Amino acid sequence: MGLFRSAGAVLALALATTAVAAQERPAPQAPVQGAADVAGTSLSIDELYRYKSLIGTTPEGYAWTADGGAVLFLWNDEGYSFRDIWSYSIKTGKKTRLTTLGRDSKPEAEAKGIAQAIALDKGRVAFTLGGQLHIREANGTIAKVETDKQAIRKLAVSPDGTQLAFVSGNPVDTRNRVTLGGILWVRDIAAKDGNVARRVAGDDNPKVYVDDFQWAADGKAIAFQQSDDRAMPERDIYYYAKGELQNNRVIRAFPGDETTKATVGVVTLATGEARFYERPDARHHVWDYGLSGDGKRLFVSGSDMEAKEHTIYVYDVATGARETFYQLREPKHLRPDWKVAWAPGDDGLVILTDRDGWLHLYHQRAAGEAPRQITSGQWEIDSFAVDRKGKQLYFTANESDLADRQIYRVPVAGGKVQRISGVAAGTHQPVYSPDFRHVADWYSNDTTPPELYLIDTAKPGKAVQATKSPQPEFYQQTWANIGYIQFPSHVDGTNLVARLSLPANFDPAKRYPVIVGSVYSDAVHNQWGGRRAHPTWGLDQYFVAQGYIVLNVNIRGSWGQGRDHNQTQHHSYGETDINDLESGVRYLVEKGYADPRRVGLWGSSYGGLMTIMSLSKKPGVYAAGIAGAPATNVWHAYPSQMWIMGPPEGADMPARYEAQSALYQAKGIADPLMIIHGTRDPVVLYSDTIALAEGMIAREQMFELVTLPGGNHAWASDNLPQARFAFKKMVDFFDRNVKNRK
């Protein structure tokens, strides 16, 4: 074991069709000495994180025209944050900028610009900006409509192209906003302006709101999910910022509290009548729902709060009669990655489930029937879409490599799996045209920031690049050499995989300082920057350029390596996961790449939990650690996280929660620790960090606390000055305590 695959220059997408053999796994290559003269980029943190982004602005928000002839997307070709609307024509192969609203936006404002755009009839486009609905006519004129509504979102055109549905927020107290609420509206597309939308679903109480919705195939009805937070507790998060006391009041449940009650309904537009379809327990999760093509049946896919029992109900839309279509209970099930859709011709359901140990597609035609497996192998499917006319299933999966997300298709009847996205490694996030003839493909790999590509599904393996986002200076830099290693767990021998970022001039005869992180689940991903939850691509590159190795381990509980691999994380926050991190460190030390005295560790949220647990339980393994917004107390976690930590009751309580809470496990910390936390954080409360700090002060344990006034949970994404400040604090801390450790 201990294999390494260099990402290299893997942008050559125009390659021949690849038929996928289910069990083939390409062998990585061993690490080799770097050929570059320097370790990495010469840019500073300030130069890596600038208003005119070095890596450009990622094209997002893909939306096809009804005829599949063009795709809309949101982009800024200059690299600023404000996204305008662009269109790419399949026929001409050219892109056109449709709006120029970002030209007056000041870069330092970091405005995100247009949030969503969808195509209407006759070349018209509907879009949202600042929570307001706008219509762009074919001649380029723009009018703001439905001005009596706020927080407009989730635009969707009816299948016949005559109506536009959307959700808007309720009028609420904007200073101490509890929730935006959600009302479902329908507007005639032929209308030119005015407040003409009619309300079809939703409640005047902002705590009862429409989450999302789906049009029926005939456009005569809409299925929607409604959430009710009225029984949930409200919490005041007080903090000082901008010279005065602030209050971020949120609806926030802890384990054992009342949670959101979710119901699915169908509204008939002609009559305005809505029917709700009851489940045995409205507190249980809803993961998917959908109307059959003929509109006569509705499925609702859900699970219990701990995600141990997956159940799919099918309802008669007219009568509300319910049948249990599918059900599977697994006592140690961990991840709710299930997805469901109607099969072509409404011939039962296509189900993505890990019932055989790996996430694969199944077809079940009738209630209680044994599902027929369509795909199989020791790899997993992330998502899928149904081509009803072609009777094909398109899906993304890691069949080629754990870190990849490639596009494939397979007949619903089963048979040969065909790769659509070519042989280049990397990550694809597809949006299919209505006729499935083309794919608007968000594509990135370890050496290439995300871009929009177009794939003709009749010519698999070939793609046309539509955008080029990075600045010219990007291509002049020397970037890290990124690849993947495999090694056994030092505890139970389980095979583990990690993403490894090496200096470009890497010398295998030299021992390097190492940064493990940012640590989290699902951390091994072949795309620019690895995990995208935080904008740490530049920080990682900076560390490598300064002579560090950066390691990201696919810990237990992560997607992609099967059910047995992730279920060992059950009831194990701060135990199995941190053992996996240590296994990665041990491997690098054994290979002679890492200096065992100079290893640092960092992560945020759950990653902060792992950092503190590692420093406490594994003294001497890490020279220092940084915990961002650390989840130190699982009693204050979201109830949905009970699928890992378990319920707040039982014979093993409170010991089970204490064992998984860094607040109760911090006594062993002796190595340097830095904590970074925003005071406004509603996900992991700043008060929990204060509780940890109080305990450490009482025990006279030394630590550094970086407080970000008004900072949110994703503290590195709030604004560039704050991100640069925090990243420079991290660099200084690791240089003092890891790189320059004597």
Side-chain angles (χ1 to χ4, degrees):
M1 308 190 79
L3 302 173
F4 183 97
R5 173 171 64 77
S6 176
V10 292
L11 193 56
L13 288 177
L15 296 166
T17 302
T18 302
V20 177
Q23 302 296 336
E24 292 180 1
R25 307 290 283 189
Q29 300 172 0
V32 296
Q33 184 166 347
D37 295 328
V38 295
T41 180
S42 61
L43 299 178
S44 67
I45 291 293
D46 288 341
E47 292 168 323
L48 288 165
Y49 293 98
R50 58 183 81 168
Y51 292 118
K52 188 173 184 176
S53 174
L54 180 69
I55 62 172
T57 303
T58 303
E60 296 179 349
Y62 307 162
W64 286 94
T65 56
D67 63 0
V71 62
L72 304 179
F73 60 99
L74 307 176
W75 189 47
N76 188 304
D77 61 337
E78 297 180 90
Y80 293 112
S81 62
F82 193 107
R83 287 182 173 86
D84 270 298
I85 305 171
W86 294 69
S87 175
Y88 180 89
S89 169
I90 296 296
K91 183 177 181 180
T92 66
K94 295 181 179 179
K95 60 181 178 290
T96 304
R97 185 173 182 170
L98 300 185
T99 62
T100 57
L101 299 174
R103 287 183 176 173
D104 297 328
S105 177
K106 295 181 179 180
E108 58 271 18
E110 299 186 57
K112 301 304 181 185
I114 294 171
Q116 184 187 6
I118 60 171
L120 306 180
D121 61 342
K122 302 176 183 179
R124 302 164 72 215
V125 175
F127 67 92
T128 58
L129 174 62
Q132 296 295 304
L133 178 61
H134 301 73
I135 304 293
R136 181 194 183 273
E137 300 294 337
N139 64 6
T141 61
I142 296 173
K144 186 185 295 186
V145 298
E146 305 298 343
T147 56
D148 61 337
K149 303 169 185 66
Q150 64 174 3
I152 294 175
R153 57 202 186 273
K154 297 185 181 295
L155 309 182
V157 176
S158 61
D160 63 5
T162 64
Q163 299 177 93
L164 172 66
F166 60 88
V167 174
S168 80
N170 294 15
V172 293
D173 180 353
T174 57
R175 181 174 176 83
N176 293 317
R177 186 174 65 240
V178 174
T179 180
L180 285 174
I183 304 295
L184 178 60
W185 305 84
V186 171
R187 172 187 170 92
D188 290 336
I189 284 178
K192 295 293 183 181
D193 51 27
N195 304 319
V196 298
R198 61 191 186 278
R199 177 172 170 170
V200 298
D203 197 284
D204 289 333
N205 189 327
K207 294 184 181 181
V208 181
Y209 52 94
V210 174
D211 261 328
D212 54 34
F213 63 91
Q214 302 171 10
W215 280 98
D218 61 6
K220 296 180 179 180
I222 296 177
F224 62 95
Q225 180 178 336
Q226 181 168 285
S227 295
D228 184 346
D229 291 345
R230 287 176 294 186
M232 290 175 63
E234 295 181 23
R235 304 188 190 278
D236 292 317
I237 301 176
Y238 292 105
Y239 62 98
Y240 280 94
K242 300 179 180 179
E244 62 180 349
L245 180 66
Q246 311 279 346
N247 181 16
N248 179 25
R249 177 176 291 175
V250 295
I251 295 176
R252 178 71 160 80
F254 294 155
D257 289 340
E258 285 294 326
T259 59
T260 298
K261 293 180 174 61
T263 55
V264 176
V266 175
V267 58
T268 302
L269 298 183
T271 64
E273 179 184 356
R275 175 190 286 272
F276 288 93
Y277 299 87
E278 300 299 327
R279 298 179 298 142
D281 193 335
R283 296 172 300 177
H284 285 181
H285 298 291
V286 172
W287 301 115
D288 258 330
Y289 64 95
L291 286 166
S292 58
D294 61 11
K296 295 181 179 180
R297 290 179 292 169
L298 170 76
F299 79 79
V300 177
S301 171
S303 74
D304 61 296
M305 290 296 295
E306 297 179 54
K308 300 298 177 278
E309 185 170 83
H310 180 207
T311 303
I312 305 173
Y313 297 115
V314 172
Y315 300 84
D316 183 293
V317 170
T319 67
R322 181 185 74 215
E323 65 177 353
T324 301
F325 190 91
Y326 170 94
Q327 192 168 60
L328 182 66
R329 179 171 181 80
E330 299 171 274
K332 292 187 178 181
H333 195 273
L334 200 72
R335 296 178 58 100
D337 294 316
W338 310 293
K339 293 179 175 64
V340 182
W342 286 100
D346 297 337
D347 185 22
L349 298 175
V350 176
I351 305 170
L352 176 62
T353 174
D354 57 353
R355 59 182 295 121
D356 79 335
W358 301 81
L359 282 163
H360 280 289
L361 295 170
Y362 293 77
H363 181 205
Q364 183 171 326
R365 302 183 68 181
E369 179 181 280
R372 173 181 57 84
Q373 191 163 3
I374 301 172
T375 60
S376 62
Q378 294 186 10
W379 46 275
E380 296 203 302
I381 293 175
D382 177 59
S383 63
F384 73 95
V386 180
D387 176 4
R388 295 173 66 86
K389 184 177 180 180
K391 298 183 179 180
Q392 299 269 340
L393 301 175
Y394 285 77
F395 61 91
T396 54
N398 69 344
E399 190 279 338
S400 58
D401 189 86
L402 171 67
D404 283 357
R405 304 292 187 275
Q406 300 288 347
I407 307 172
Y408 304 87
R409 66 183 169 199
V410 65
V412 175
K416 182 180 180 181
V417 174
Q418 184 181 30
R419 185 155 151 180
I420 301 300
S421 51
V423 299
T427 294
H428 299 262
Q429 296 178 12
V431 176
Y432 305 99
S433 63
D435 56 9
F436 283 85
R437 292 180 60 186
H438 293 92
V439 181
D441 183 21
W442 182 104
Y443 172 73
S444 177
N445 62 45
D446 287 325
T447 61
T448 310
E451 301 288 9
L452 168 61
Y453 288 80
L454 279 299
I455 299 174
D456 184 338
T457 57
K459 302 173 183 178
K462 296 183 178 181
V464 176
Q465 185 173 347
T467 60
K468 187 175 182 180
S469 300
Q471 303 300 313
E473 190 178 1
F474 172 86
Y475 301 101
Q476 299 167 6
Q477 298 301 307
T478 298
W479 299 112
N481 181 17
I482 299 174
Y484 299 86
I485 54 175
Q486 299 181 44
F487 49 88
S489 163
H490 72 283
V491 175
D492 60 16
T494 296
N495 185 53
L496 301 171
V497 179
R499 184 179 190 265
L500 191 66
S501 300
L502 298 176
N505 60 357
F506 172 71
D507 181 355
K510 177 182 176 181
R511 286 187 179 269
Y512 289 81
V514 175
I515 300 295
V516 182
S518 73
V519 296
Y520 210 85
S521 56
D522 302 328
V524 175
H525 215 151
N526 190 339
Q527 61 186 4
W528 181 256
R531 286 185 68 241
R532 297 181 69 224
H534 290 276
T536 55
W537 65 268
L539 181 65
D540 289 349
Q541 292 288 348
Y542 183 84
F543 278 136
V544 171
Q546 300 306 307
Y548 290 91
I549 289 174
V550 175
L551 177 72
N552 300 94
V553 180
N554 201 55
I555 59 171
R556 246 69 72 90
S558 295
W559 179 90
Q561 289 187 260
R563 187 176 59 197
D564 290 344
H565 183 275
N566 67 53
Q567 283 189 2
T568 51
Q569 182 60 13
H570 189 236
H571 291 182
S572 192
Y573 277 138
E575 185 62 34
T576 303
D577 42 16
I578 66 173
N579 287 336
D580 291 347
L581 299 176
E582 183 185 1
S583 294
V585 173
R586 286 176 175 237
Y587 172 78
L588 293 182
V589 171
E590 290 168 3
K591 297 297 290 186
Y593 304 150
D595 181 343
R597 297 186 68 256
R598 296 190 296 160
V599 180
L601 171 75
W602 88 276
S604 195
S605 191
Y606 168 40
L609 178 154
M610 285 190 282
T611 297
I612 294 172
M613 289 289 212
S614 293
L615 291 181
S616 183
K617 294 183 176 183
K618 300 180 180 297
V621 173
Y622 302 99
I626 299 176
T632 58
N633 187 352
V634 300
W635 268 282
H636 291 170
Y638 282 99
S640 59
Q641 293 171 267
M642 291 191 298
W643 60 61
I644 292 180
M645 63 197 189
E649 65 272 336
D652 57 353
M653 286 292 286
R656 174 165 37 85
Y657 271 23
E658 290 180 356
Q660 298 178 86
S661 296
L663 177 65
Y664 298 93
Q665 302 298 322
K667 296 181 178 63
I669 296 177
D671 296 310
L673 167 66
M674 172 182 280
I675 301 171
I676 302 174
H677 207 157
T679 58
R680 193 179 189 272
D681 189 347
V683 178
V684 175
L685 305 182
Y686 183 75
S687 59
D688 285 346
T689 283
I690 296 302
L692 174 67
E694 289 174 335
M696 293 185 70
I697 291 170
R699 294 187 294 270
E700 300 185 36
Q701 295 169 287
M702 304 307 292
F703 66 97
E704 298 179 28
L705 175 60
V706 178
T707 294
L708 303 175
N712 287 293
H713 187 60
W715 46 271
S717 301
D718 283 345
N719 56 74
L720 278 179
Q722 180 173 290
R724 290 190 295 241
F725 169 82
F727 289 163
K728 284 184 276 190
K729 294 289 286 187
M730 294 174 66
V731 168
D732 174 71
F733 179 83
F734 278 139
D735 282 352
R736 283 188 284 116
N737 295 293
V738 177
K739 183 180 179 181
N740 299 323
R741 185 183 185 191
K742 302 300 183 182

